[in-house]
Amino acid sequence: MTKVTTLNQFIIERQSEFPEATGGFSRLLHHIGIAAKKVNREVNKAGLVDILGRTGVENVQGEEQQKLDLYANETFLDELRASGECCGVASEENEEVVLFEEGLAQGARYVVCMDPLDGSSNIDVNVSVGTIFAIYRRLSPVGERVGQGDFLQPGRALAAAGYVIYGSSTMLVYSSGNGVNGFTLDPSIGEFCLSHPDIRFPQRGRIYSINEGNYERFPIGVKKYIKYCQEKDARTERPYTSRYIGSLVADIHRNMLKGGIYIYPETESHPRGKLRLQYECNPMAFIVEQAGGRATDGERRILDLEPEDVHQRTPFYAGSEAMMEKVTDFLRFFDSI
Ligand code: P6P
């Protein structure tokens, strides 16, 4: 019988990777797993209960909140608070950071940036959605009040990052800086079980993911790269395949397993890009790099960007190393003329 490694067993076995391991990180990740199971339960029965649809309320981004957005946000906040290892959360759904200052949280050593339910507009049409989380060690002294600076650390300072994809199966994929591992939820035992050990981003790929509806508003280098992907050239296995789900976690997850590139550049409507640095791009870039891929804003490494605001946006290019090199060449050449 094949040995099943649950997420909890894996975390404990790998706890030695953390020099200051005291079990705190393990407890934090365990509670993230619990929240993911709770959200998964509601996502899977969406459509049967009155949890679909809009709330009529806009979030800080000016995007109308879905009922499941709020449920997911509250569920992750509750579990992060209950872990006693997190002293604050920056969430897409909250304009201000949420501080946990009571009880166990006073001795907590981590802060979390998260998008509790990314791509939630896809839920009503039964398309995969995801949760994205970024875990930082706090900079402020333990026991003192958490400061904004704790949430404005660059991606290169991440202690861990991961995502949950609620798709044909539900997976939790994370890295604590020693490679990327994927765990598939086994509903029969209610546990995330190791299914994708040591995920590696293929060095080359044939999938490009971008919303071509914005084509006319893209930078010229992006337009030229899209045409390059569409040209016939047997030597470089072009034309490539266009695959765009409109759900960041699903698009990146597919490309990481098969090889590909995801691009959300700056456009007229989003001059700094649409995706948020602290709880979408940094955690996904951490995962992509840990698997052997690359992630930039078109020129700079995402993980080296210095955040100024927890909700700031950035252009986002992430994928197979060879494809990232090629798109960067196009951007540099056509942006220089
Ligand atoms: P567009 C979902 O709203 C999201 O933040 C990402 O998950 C997704 O990749 C992107 O926006 C889709 O944006 O403008 O193509 O619909």
Side-chain angles (χ1 to χ4, degrees), residues 308-319:
E308 296 164 2
D309 178 88
V310 291
H311 297 297
Q312 79 181 64
R313 302 173 191 266
T314 177
F316 190 55
Y317 299 70

Side-chain angles (χ1 to χ4, degrees), residues 122-192:
N122 291 309
I123 283 183
D124 293 14
V125 294
N126 211 13
V127 166
S128 299
V129 293
T131 296
I132 309 171
F133 58 90
I135 301 172
Y136 289 95
R137 295 175 189 83
R138 67 182 298 177
L139 297 176
S140 52
V142 171
E144 292 187 14
R145 187 173 170 79
V146 178
Q148 281 297 324
D150 289 302
F151 300 95
L152 295 178
Q153 300 180 60
R156 63 176 178 269
L158 279 164
Y163 58 81
V164 183
I165 178 167
Y166 309 96
S168 50
S169 64
T170 295
M171 280 187 70
L172 188 151
V173 177
Y174 91 95
S175 173
S176 53
N178 292 277
V180 179
N181 292 282
F183 302 79
T184 299
L185 182 62
D186 178 342
S188 67
I189 59 172
E191 290 288 353
F192 283 103

Side-chain angles (χ1 to χ4, degrees), residues 63 115 118-121 211 214 244 246-249 251 262 264 274-276 280:
E63 295 166 348
D115 184 350
D118 180 73
S120 54
S121 58
N211 183 343
N214 296 322
Y244 189 72
S247 184
L248 177 65
V249 168
D251 279 316
Y262 173 97
Y264 207 110
K274 175 184 181 184
L275 302 181
R276 278 61 60 121
E280 290 175 328

Side-chain angles (χ1 to χ4, degrees), residues 91-315:
S91 169
E92 184 202 32
E93 300 301 335
N94 298 90
E95 183 160 2
E96 302 300 329
V97 295
V98 179
L99 303 185
F100 304 148
E101 298 176 299
E102 67 286 343
L104 283 171
Q106 288 183 337
R109 296 180 300 129
Y110 298 101
V111 296
V112 172
C113 300
M114 71 171 180
D115 184 350
L117 203 61
D118 180 73
S120 54
S121 58
N122 291 309
I123 283 183
D124 293 14
V125 294
N126 211 13
V127 166
S128 299
V129 293
T131 296
I132 309 171
F133 58 90
I135 301 172
Y136 289 95
R137 295 175 189 83
R138 67 182 298 177
L139 297 176
S140 52
V142 171
E144 292 187 14
R145 187 173 170 79
V146 178
Q148 281 297 324
D150 289 302
F151 300 95
L152 295 178
Q153 300 180 60
R156 63 176 178 269
L158 279 164
Y163 58 81
V164 183
I165 178 167
Y166 309 96
S168 50
S169 64
T170 295
M171 280 187 70
L172 188 151
V173 177
Y174 91 95
S175 173
S176 53
N178 292 277
V180 179
N181 292 282
F183 302 79
T184 299
L185 182 62
D186 178 342
S188 67
I189 59 172
E191 290 288 353
F192 283 103
C193 300
L194 183 63
S195 55
H196 295 68
D198 193 23
I199 298 175
R200 300 300 300 161
F201 216 121
Q203 202 268 340
R204 321 187 73 78
R206 298 189 60 254
I207 295 171
Y208 69 102
S209 307
I210 188 169
N211 183 343
E212 296 190 55
N214 296 322
Y215 179 85
E216 288 306 324
R217 292 177 291 280
F218 285 152
I220 181 63
V222 173
K223 290 181 178 178
K224 293 293 186 183
Y225 179 70
I226 290 172
K227 293 306 174 190
Y228 169 83
C229 293
Q230 295 169 345
E231 288 167 353
K232 187 172 175 58
D233 179 309
R235 185 180 60 80
T236 55
E237 296 185 286
R238 289 178 290 142
Y240 294 156
T241 295
S242 173
R243 288 285 184 274
Y244 189 72
I245 299 170
S247 184
L248 177 65
V249 168
D251 279 316
I252 296 284
H253 183 74
R254 176 205 53 241
N255 291 355
M256 185 163 69
L257 297 183
K258 293 182 175 289
I261 189 169
Y262 173 97
I263 300 174
Y264 207 110
E266 63 275 23
T267 62
E268 284 164 14
S269 57
H270 291 98
R272 291 193 67 181
K274 175 184 181 184
L275 302 181
R276 278 61 60 121
L277 175 61
Q278 283 309 81
Y279 42 78
E280 290 175 328
C281 299
N282 261 333
M284 296 311 284
F286 184 81
I287 291 284
V288 166
E289 285 200 4
Q290 280 292 314
R294 284 179 52 196
T296 73
D297 66 355
E299 54 181 335
R300 296 169 298 173
R301 181 182 180 225
I302 288 289
L303 299 185
D304 286 338
L305 300 180
E306 292 296 340
E308 296 164 2
D309 178 88
V310 291
H311 297 297
Q312 79 181 64
R313 302 173 191 266
T314 177

